[in-house]
Amino acid sequence: MALLVSKTQSGREYKVKDLSLADFGRLEIDLAEVEMPGLISCRTEFGPTQPLAGAKITGSLHMTIQTAVLIETLTALGAQIRWCSCNIFSTQDHAAAAIARDSAAVFAWKGETLEEYWWCTEKALNWGPDGGPDLIIDDGGDATLLVHEGVKAEEEYERSGKVPDPNETDNVEFKVVLGIIRDGLVGDPRKYRRMKERLVGVSEETTTGVKRLYQMMTNGTLLFPAININDSVTKSKFDNLYGCRHSLPDGLMRATDVMIAGKIAVVCGYGDVGKGCAAALKRAGARVIVTEADPICALQALMEGIQVLTLEDVISEADIFVTATGNKNIIMVPHMKKMKNNAIVCNIGHFDNEIDMQGLEAYPGIKRVTIKPQTDRWIFPETQNGIIVLAEGRLINLGCATGHPSFVMSCSFTNQVIAQIELWKERNTGRYEKKVYVLPKHLDEKVAALHLEKLGAKLTKLTLAQAAYINVPAEGPYKPPTYRY
Amino acid sequence: MALLVSKTQSGREYKVKDLSLADFGRLEIDLAEVEMPGLISCRTEFGPTQPLAGAKITGSLHMTIQTAVLIETLTALGAQIRWCSCNIFSTQDHAAAAIARDSAAVFAWKGETLEEYWWCTEKALNWGPDGGPDLIIDDGGDATLLVHEGVKAEEEYERSGKVPDPNETDNVEFKVVLGIIRDGLVGDPRKYRRMKERLVGVSEETTTGVKRLYQMMTNGTLLFPAININDSVTKSKFDNLYGCRHSLPDGLMRATDVMIAGKIAVVCGYGDVGKGCAAALKRAGARVIVTEADPICALQALMEGIQVLTLEDVISEADIFVTATGNKNIIMVPHMKKMKNNAIVCNIGHFDNEIDMQGLEAYPGIKRVTIKPQTDRWIFPETQNGIIVLAEGRLINLGCATGHPSFVMSCSFTNQVIAQIELWKERNTGRYEKKVYVLPKHLDEKVAALHLEKLGAKLTKLTLAQAAYINVPAEGPYKPPTYRY
Amino acid sequence: MALLVSKTQSGREYKVKDLSLADFGRLEIDLAEVEMPGLISCRTEFGPTQPLAGAKITGSLHMTIQTAVLIETLTALGAQIRWCSCNIFSTQDHAAAAIARDSAAVFAWKGETLEEYWWCTEKALNWGPDGGPDLIIDDGGDATLLVHEGVKAEEEYERSGKVPDPNETDNVEFKVVLGIIRDGLVGDPRKYRRMKERLVGVSEETTTGVKRLYQMMTNGTLLFPAININDSVTKSKFDNLYGCRHSLPDGLMRATDVMIAGKIAVVCGYGDVGKGCAAALKRAGARVIVTEADPICALQALMEGIQVLTLEDVISEADIFVTATGNKNIIMVPHMKKMKNNAIVCNIGHFDNEIDMQGLEAYPGIKRVTIKPQTDRWIFPETQNGIIVLAEGRLINLGCATGHPSFVMSCSFTNQVIAQIELWKERNTGRYEKKVYVLPKHLDEKVAALHLEKLGAKLTKLTLAQAAYINVPAEGPYKPPTYRY
Amino acid sequence: MALLVSKTQSGREYKVKDLSLADFGRLEIDLAEVEMPGLISCRTEFGPTQPLAGAKITGSLHMTIQTAVLIETLTALGAQIRWCSCNIFSTQDHAAAAIARDSAAVFAWKGETLEEYWWCTEKALNWGPDGGPDLIIDDGGDATLLVHEGVKAEEEYERSGKVPDPNETDNVEFKVVLGIIRDGLVGDPRKYRRMKERLVGVSEETTTGVKRLYQMMTNGTLLFPAININDSVTKSKFDNLYGCRHSLPDGLMRATDVMIAGKIAVVCGYGDVGKGCAAALKRAGARVIVTEADPICALQALMEGIQVLTLEDVISEADIFVTATGNKNIIMVPHMKKMKNNAIVCNIGHFDNEIDMQGLEAYPGIKRVTIKPQTDRWIFPETQNGIIVLAEGRLINLGCATGHPSFVMSCSFTNQVIAQIELWKERNTGRYEKKVYVLPKHLDEKVAALHLEKLGAKLTKLTLAQAAYINVPAEGPYKPPTYRY
């Protein structure tokens, strides 16, 4: 298969499924803008001063309609953009088409192979001989990973002449990463180091990517500053919680049309994402059971009337299984073998290693029947029982539905815009070291404030006396950094 | 446009969108069977004795995957079937294809015109020179209506030579009905009377159709016995309530991807359907407001913390409007003009006259932008505000999603099967007059009982002493006919 | 112990705990009136015409603050009243005091013995030589029972000279009934027959009492007409459901202060009362499990995500047990022995025979520790585990709290007032035979309508065209009698 | 009025309402122990080593049944105790009696005057000539305040000979504080400084007290180390949230018996306490409206379907008002004048200055009718409308009910025990400076873990590979300190 880059009449590169979907994409982008007051406010407030002028931004983040509004907000603030998705199934092809035609270089389509996925990531990072990117917007850290692994390989190559060997890893996806670095290494053995030197910083979207960043910071291997968007309250307590509460049932319904009421649903992990999933399933009439390792989160589940058990306890009686741990190896083949016929198995954690898809594929005699894209029935030879695995173990809400709705993504993405402006503004001041930062509380509160009017809310204003009494500025921030909401 | 009937190799007639979708339909039918224990139990219990042997059944009921399982249950019991949908948007084309190929004559596709719709209905009723149908399965009463109007026209024609004149009615759809009767009348002026004479009865599925039947019974114009399925508890308190609780948000999400949390949602009507809709929206995080004419239903809404206002009170602040009254002229053009930009308007009542679509289409200067099929933005010229109307005012859950999930439809359809068996068994006994009947309580309880095991429930058995104490048989029925559940 | 009747200065009889509580009672009655718009509307609407003038009414219904407002509504309409409670624990002594002092003859206090209870019932029925009552307001049917048993005994005595023998029954309470009849029989062998002849009818409040009435109607033993208030929608779907949803947790909290969140709660019976209890416990954060004999009600529980099991399945793991079946012998001693230490056991069904209190008391070696009135810990000798039984197995919400709140009782009691007016108005017309009747739908709707304004609701008015379309009068009733709400 | 200290036979001091309530208190303490697994585990784990041997602890914390279990856990670990309540209405007299008789010096009764309250606080702090306390357990910071103000006054007196003048402050309560310090100052001008010198530290329970401590730390005036218990997750996200969710409706019901369903309820403040209150009211069927100054909390309310408005917007239509801001001057007299007749006004924030009780009392012509203790109707002369103020503006859940249930208090109090052990263990190591500390995460998780078994939960164990993957120890702590739960 040849992966060929197309160009628009203006010469901008892209590779998308079908550019003719651009009109449809544009219509939905128009609708989404009405639902994304934070981003539109950014255009109004910051547009005139063009705070991102000159910035070349690479984004690796689900190429959806909502992301299109983010991209066009960044371009409205002066940035140039190259974009790819951070998940093989999460692109909405009409969104990609509209952006490719109208606004930015895009390399993304729904249903990429792993090779295609990393090809797209490389294309989004590769700004050509003039260099770039200046900034990365990352979701899960794959663009950041590629730069870091690329630099590592280049340094090793310079040192020892050794190129990466994909056979040295068992991890199917990491083989592809090493391959793509190897293939470009000899031709341009400084590419990733040029990126690293230019890079002002990254703003990272999600729990999993943030975890990677903190590990690199701890190990001293982080190559550029990072702003942790995920831990803005208006991100992790909104997108993760309310977003999943919306999009998990959406994905389940679109993929399977199954009646949730009356069913037994197991949610693995009761963090923000798991809380959203459990709430959605409970409200839809399921009996929810949670698995947890953390006793505090477990006790929270119990206080909501949700039973806390181990996966083994319920494996053969539950109807729906959702992984939301951010950890790996949660639902393994021996679990899946014990499930009821037509049990539904899906993942809403960032990576697809919560469900042992490799083990399932390798199971002797297993039969895969694709009901429709992203909905597969895997039939075990011994029992002829099938289990229904959604989105091949990847994010169900993006693989089987359209991800989170615009309004909540407006909160998350407004944090992104603010972080990008901040990094770019301070690019020469040394304010940000090679560390991981969170946005200050008053910006977090500002993001929330931008979303209130759309919902008809009216805030109470503190009097000066009241503000003094609780020892906060009258205009906020209203809470200490440790406040948990 | 020519409407041509195709034939399978075995000679069975059909007209569907695309027969090649049959394999996909079959896969989903297989999944649905696991979720429809009531229908599968009917096959097991009644299959051997073939209680519908010899019966020619015409069905006018949304041609979905769930209906496919119903149809194949009826054929498994010996019936012959001709089928059409009872809504222009409700057909799932892969379901229609699978049934057409494998099991029954089908005339249905998603997105029929009104002319096509009534052509399909006529085809489903027309069993050719040997006559038929013997039985009707109706949902909304359109098949029953066509027979009654046909008989009326034939009698008038015989009496006066006058044929129906579509221009005599303002109702767009009724024009089509009169047209189709007129077109066949001279060629065969006894067709509908032959049907009437042969017809053993109809079992009717929904509130609206039932209302029509009781009116005809009261007026003395009902031509054959009818069993009211809708008022089985296991229908109206399940399908209408829990079904809509599932499928309303499903339709909203698929059509608009809008975040429901934080929005103001107005539900017009707080009957079983409205209760399901209001519960779903509330649980999704909307602030729900109900409009009601009935003080008892209004007080029920209040007891759930739901505000009860008139449409006028909230017309310009709400984000989502859902009609669920079973009445007409609920949301009119003057209402729509006052709505916020991008307010969402949809209907989940049986007929499309709850929203004034005709008025909207006729509004001078209005602009319709189709975002995607069944999702239209109507822009008023004065304000340039658009409202988003779903499924052209028809049933949102069937137009924009896939209708109710299999499990709850299994309850409804098991009632249908039982009613059809009953009508057919008593066809020569005179037990059923030209009246409307409900199924006896013990059958209602049986339908419920058939669905418990799938959900892992265990019933308590009354002792004889306990049964005597509350004056019921130990094996049921457990409640008086007036019990409200 | 001598039971002595006191008299007010005006000569009205009473026996209450402490007349000095009357001021406190009056303050709470004043508050309750604001919450009981239906009753206050009755005073406004009917007061001027005194429709109950001349009527002597005996009431046997929990002597609470809410009942006080009912009594004073009846007297405001012209009636004379004698009253007793229908449960040994349900009297609020300050309410009884206020009524005794200000408005009517009352015989009721919290914590009656069975002997005292039936003495009160007799006193409430006994209008002296001038005869009476003309009407009964009953809750559970005890006043009606006493008249029927009295008549039976008088007829037997006249026939055979035989007086009732309390030893002929094992039922502890029925022994007392027979004793009280026996004691008066020889002195006045026509008392109950005089009552019967004068009695215009009874209006009955609750499921259990209604069941008795229908049995008597079926057996042909009903001595006077009865209006079934319980099956007014505005009674059974409000008082039973929303009332218990309020008062069950209220009773649990006052009696035990136990944290409901996190606990496993078993609700036996998922009728209107059970639905209210299950909803309350679930919302308070308990994991609720329901036991049911009726498959339809069981399926309703499942649709709300509530597990349905048998009592045996969960007996040793649950923390809270609530009986709400209206049946008998639900929680027996062998069940109680298997419960966890400090499991809470209570009943919210009308009669106290849902829990085997007699068996518990008779258990060899059992130890009863009264924590406070109506909260007892029963310790089994084998395990030294105790179970906490509330209100001695009688209605927890009245025994351990103050019963249902005023607003919902206003709905129930407005039905009572309307029924009493109706019976009295038709006393000479023969309209009501010795049968059980329900109130017509339009009165039911009127009761609801009287309660809307207080909650700020606005009803939608049907146009004539809309009313015609759904075939109802524009001013209602809006639903057929079979509608289930 | 003379305030006299009594002594037990063993010579321990106390002043309580009625020592004869001790048996009743003991019965309820026995029940509570079963519900407080964290405290009982502390006795088992730490009892043998007596880690609090030699420690004199003064507690200023609601003297309830749950606190009794805390006190007896501390004494089981070797401590000596003197105790007072931190609220004039929060003492449960039977709990105080049992502790006074059996375990510790107690100065507390329900319904203290302000003078009595501070007399009790002084008595609890005053360990006599041998000195003490070594440690303080504080809830709201009153014991800490008295020491700090005492020291300040002593220093001023030493410097200038000036004694505190209660007339220098407008604050009614602070007048009493100054008075009590003044009265003892000349007789013993070093008392509070001796305390200060001996004090090892304080562990503080609640938001308000913690705020004071941080202010003193910032100002450099904090006299001894403090551990902030409130910000343990197992405190603020449990006690504040789930505790109030339980005890707010409990208080409302006991005080007013009002039906919550159907009502409009305003919750001022949507922090942890406000979230619990709003959830409880919503689940009880109220329509809830929140007032908030913080845009993030406001957006959280909206995501749950709760309207956010200002108090002024809803003042004349709401039925129930609850303050939960932790701020002051929330509901003022002009607000109260506009409320509906019989609107209910209550506070669940720590201090009573959220509602302007002083303004209400001073209002010309106002009439106060005490329905029952802690339930007053205040009637405005202009309108004759009354509003019902609960617990005189103090904590409704403790004034009108019994506070939070045992289980959730077990979480909070286990934190207290752990903090006291920690402070005492490190008393000579200099580990804790005059700053405010929180407990480390692993202790927080331990508190949760101690409460899981009682609720039947089973935790999942991370494999070493999983723990490494998410970069946590397999045995926890599982989350970074910033995690919000």
Side-chain angles (χ1 to χ4, degrees), chain B residues 215 231 237 245 283 292-294 303-304 308 313 328 353 458 460 466 469 471 479 484-485, chain C residues 215 231 237 245 283 292 294 303-304 308 313 328 353 458 460 466 469 471 479 484-485:
Chain B
Q215 286 178 9
D231 289 324
K237 298 283 272 189
R245 199 176 71 183
R283 292 172 181 193
E292 246 303 342
D294 181 327
M303 290 296 105
E304 300 300 340
V308 177
D313 294 320
K328 66 176 181 180
N353 56 355
K458 288 202 247 170
T460 299
Q466 287 176 321
Y469 180 71
N471 206 22
K479 300 288 190 306
R484 294 195 188 89
Y485 297 89
Chain C
Q215 286 178 9
D231 289 324
K237 298 283 273 190
R245 199 177 69 183
R283 292 171 181 194
E292 247 301 343
D294 181 327
M303 290 296 104
E304 299 302 340
V308 178
D313 294 321
K328 66 176 182 180
N353 55 356
K458 289 202 246 171
T460 300
Q466 287 176 321
Y469 180 72
N471 206 23
K479 299 289 189 306
R484 293 194 189 90
Y485 298 89

Side-chain angles (χ1 to χ4, degrees), chain C residues 378-441:
Chain C
W378 295 80
I379 303 163
F380 285 96
E382 298 85 353
T383 58
Q384 289 301 310
N385 272 358
I387 62 169
I388 298 171
V389 179
L390 305 184
E392 303 185 12
R394 289 167 190 268
L395 285 163
I396 176 190
N397 54 343
L398 284 151
C400 297
T402 61
H404 292 178
S406 300
F407 188 83
V408 81
M409 292 316 296
S410 179
C411 294
S412 302
F413 288 166
T414 305
N415 278 292
Q416 283 284 16
V417 172
I418 289 172
Q420 292 282 312
I421 293 173
E422 177 72 8
L423 285 169
W424 191 238
K425 190 180 68 181
E426 305 289 345
R427 63 187 179 277
N428 299 317
T429 65
R431 171 162 182 177
Y432 293 103
E433 303 171 50
K434 292 172 187 173
K435 292 185 180 167
V436 188
Y437 298 85
V438 293
L439 289 176
K441 175 76 63 185

Side-chain angles (χ1 to χ4, degrees), chain B residues 93-274:
Chain B
D93 289 317
H94 61 322
I99 292 300
R101 185 190 64 185
D102 301 340
S103 302
V106 175
F107 308 89
W109 56 95
K110 188 174 184 80
E112 299 160 354
T113 64
L114 286 178
E115 285 75 14
E116 291 167 347
Y117 174 81
W118 285 99
W119 177 87
C120 289
T121 305
E122 197 278 340
K123 277 283 162 292
L125 278 168
N126 192 339
W127 287 78
D130 291 348
D134 299 304
L135 295 162
I136 293 176
I137 290 180
D138 223 352
D139 181 347
D142 279 354
T144 298
L145 174 85
L146 188 53
V147 175
H148 279 75
E149 291 297 329
V151 167
K152 197 158 71 175
E154 287 175 3
E155 290 173 349
E156 175 68 26
Y157 179 63
E158 188 169 293
R159 215 168 23 241
S160 68
K162 205 177 144 218
V163 296
D165 177 4
N167 292 324
E168 282 181 356
T169 176
D170 283 342
N171 182 302
V172 172
E173 184 155 8
F174 200 57
K175 279 183 198 292
V176 181
V177 174
L178 294 181
I180 215 161
I181 293 171
R182 178 199 57 196
D183 296 348
L185 186 55
V186 182
D188 181 355
R190 294 200 56 85
K191 178 171 73 171
Y192 291 105
R193 284 180 286 181
R194 284 198 308 275
M195 284 185 203
K196 173 195 85 168
E197 278 143 29
R198 179 166 182 144
L199 262 164
V200 167
V202 59
S203 55
E204 166 61 47
E205 177 87 6
T206 202
T207 315
T208 298
V210 161
K211 231 180 262 163
R212 287 181 174 183
L213 289 171
Y214 281 110
Q215 286 178 9
M216 288 194 284
M217 179 172 78
T218 307
N219 302 340
T221 56
L222 185 61
L223 299 176
F224 37 80
I227 292 185
N228 162 3
I229 292 304
N230 182 66
D231 289 324
S232 291
V233 186
T234 48
K235 202 283 172 182
S236 60
K237 298 283 272 189
F238 283 80
D239 178 344
N240 302 15
L241 178 63
Y242 307 120
C244 292
R245 199 176 71 183
H246 177 106
S247 64
L248 173 74
D250 190 16
L252 282 171
M253 286 170 173
R254 294 197 207 205
T256 71
D257 291 317
V258 80
M259 181 132 189
I260 297 171
K263 296 296 193 300
I264 303 174
V266 177
V267 177
C268 301
Y270 198 68
D272 288 320
V273 169

Side-chain angles (χ1 to χ4, degrees), chain A residues 215 231 237 245 283 292 294 303-304 308 313 328 353 458 460 466 469 471 479 484-485, chain D residues 215 231 237 245 283 292-294 303-304 308 313 328 353 458 460 466 469 471 479 484-485:
Chain A
Q215 286 179 7
D231 288 324
K237 297 283 272 190
R245 200 177 69 184
R283 292 171 182 194
E292 247 302 342
D294 181 327
M303 290 297 103
E304 299 301 341
V308 177
D313 293 321
K328 66 177 182 181
N353 56 356
K458 287 202 248 171
T460 300
Q466 287 176 321
Y469 181 72
N471 205 24
K479 298 289 189 305
R484 294 195 189 89
Y485 296 89
Chain D
Q215 286 178 8
D231 289 324
K237 298 284 271 188
R245 199 176 72 185
R283 293 172 181 193
E292 245 303 341
D294 181 326
M303 290 295 105
E304 300 301 340
V308 177
D313 294 321
K328 66 176 183 181
N353 56 355
K458 288 202 246 169
T460 300
Q466 288 176 322
Y469 180 71
N471 206 22
K479 299 288 189 306
R484 294 195 188 89
Y485 297 89

